[in-house]
């Protein structure tokens, strides 16, 4: 055992360095995989949103409704009406 104990301190720093480098490489690989997966999912969601928007526009066209701004940006007349109601 004494011979093994005398070698332990000499090997320990090299072994620990190799272990830490291996661990960091594994973590980097996992983060890269997760990052790629997230970017792919975001791209897929963007495509789905574009398809949904196109479907909505197609349905509007079939119903004879003119294209209007997206619901996220209300038309100005609606804002003016709301302001007038608040001041009345």
């Amino acid at each position: 055992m004494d011979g093994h104990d005398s070698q332990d301190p000499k090997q320990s720093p090299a072994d620990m360095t190799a272990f830490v480098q291996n661990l960091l490489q594994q973590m980097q690989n996992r983060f890269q995989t997760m990052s790629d997966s997230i970017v792919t999912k975001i791209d897929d969601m963007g495509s789905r949103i574009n398809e949904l928007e196109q479907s909505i526009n197609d349905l509007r066209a079939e119903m004879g409704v003119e294209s209007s701004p997206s619901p996220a940006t209300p038309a100005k007349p609606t804002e003016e009406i709301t302001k007038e109601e608040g001041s009345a």
Side-chain angles (χ1 to χ4, degrees), residues 14-43:
D15 290 344
M16 190 62 124
T17 300
F19 174 78
V20 170
Q21 287 178 341
N22 185 27
L23 184 62
L24 290 173
Q25 185 63 42
Q26 288 176 0
M27 289 175 61
Q28 182 178 1
N29 290 341
R30 288 180 184 166
F31 281 122
Q32 186 62 46
T33 301
M34 288 172 54
S35 176
D36 292 344
S37 175
I38 290 169
V39 169
T40 299
K41 288 179 182 181
I42 289 172
D43 289 342

Side-chain angles (χ1 to χ4, degrees), residues 5-69:
D5 288 342
S6 65
Q7 291 178 348
D8 231 9
K10 293 179 184 177
Q11 291 180 352
S12 182
D15 290 344
M16 190 62 124
T17 300
F19 174 78
V20 170
Q21 287 178 341
N22 185 27
L23 184 62
L24 290 173
Q25 185 63 42
Q26 288 176 0
M27 289 175 61
Q28 182 178 1
N29 290 341
R30 288 180 184 166
F31 281 122
Q32 186 62 46
T33 301
M34 288 172 54
S35 176
D36 292 344
S37 175
I38 290 169
V39 169
T40 299
K41 288 179 182 181
I42 289 172
D43 289 342
D44 290 345
M45 286 174 47
S47 297
R48 289 180 179 182
I49 290 171
N50 289 340
E51 290 173 7
L52 181 60
E53 188 175 20
Q54 184 60 47
S55 295
I56 290 170
N57 288 335
D58 291 345
L59 288 171
R60 285 182 175 172
E62 287 178 16
M63 293 172 41
V65 177
E66 292 183 17
S67 293
S68 61

